[in-house]
Amino acid sequence: MGSSDIIWTNHARNRLAQRKFPQDLVYKTLERADKKYPAKNGSEEFLRWFGASKVTVIAKRNEHRQWILLSCWIDPPLPGTVDAKRLDKYKRYQEATGLKKWILGFLRQLGW
C-alpha cells in the first residue's frame, strides 16, 4: 500500500500531530493490522500492537478504492500529549474522594 492509496483528512492529520506518533505506524497498521472490525458509516477500525502500545486507525474506502483516513490514536498515549494529560486528569478524578472529587468534577465542567 503506497501513500497515494491513502487520503488524510484534516482531522486525522491534526490528531496525529497532537498525539505525536510517527506517520509510519499508521501505514504499518493499515498494511498489517492484528485485528480489523467494521466501524460506523461503513468505515473500518484497524488495530496493531507495537510492543506495549496499541495503534488504532479508523479508515473508509472511497469509490477509487483509496483509504480515507478518518482518525488515529495510540494507547497508552505518549507522554506530554493532550491525550496523556486528559488520561491523567481522568485517573486523578477516579482516585479522588469526597470534596476533592467534587472540586475536580466542578473544574472539569468549567473546562480546566
Side-chain angles (χ1 to χ4, degrees):
M1 174 182 319
S3 60
S4 63
D5 297 327
I6 298 174
I7 299 170
W8 288 77
T9 61
N10 288 336
H11 174 80
R13 284 189 192 280
N14 290 339
R15 291 295 189 216
L16 188 73
Q18 287 174 344
R19 292 170 174 154
K20 299 178 183 176
F21 70 96
Q23 198 174 44
D24 70 311
L25 293 183
V26 173
Y27 292 124
K28 289 176 181 178
T29 300
L30 282 172
E31 288 173 355
R32 292 191 179 191
D34 293 323
K35 293 186 179 185
K36 188 166 64 167
Y37 303 100
K40 295 178 184 178
N41 301 323
S43 61
E44 294 184 52
E45 181 175 340
F46 298 83
L47 305 173
R48 184 164 175 189
W49 282 263
F50 296 90
S53 298
K54 177 177 70 172
V55 172
T56 302
V57 175
I58 307 295
K60 184 177 185 175
R61 286 231 191 236
N62 68 9
E63 64 277 0
H64 303 292
R65 306 287 300 152
Q66 297 168 307
W67 285 107
I68 300 172
L69 194 69
L70 304 173
S71 195
C72 53
W73 59 90
I74 189 166
D75 190 37
L78 298 175
T81 62
V82 172
D83 289 346
K85 292 173 185 171
R86 188 177 300 129
L87 180 61
D88 182 55
K89 283 183 183 179
Y90 174 76
K91 285 180 179 178
R92 281 190 281 134
Y93 175 77
Q94 290 298 316
E95 293 168 356
T97 57
L99 182 60
K100 184 175 180 180
K101 190 167 198 156
W102 184 85
I103 291 170
L104 289 172
F106 180 73
L107 290 173
R108 187 172 58 178
Q109 289 181 358
L110 292 177
W112 289 35

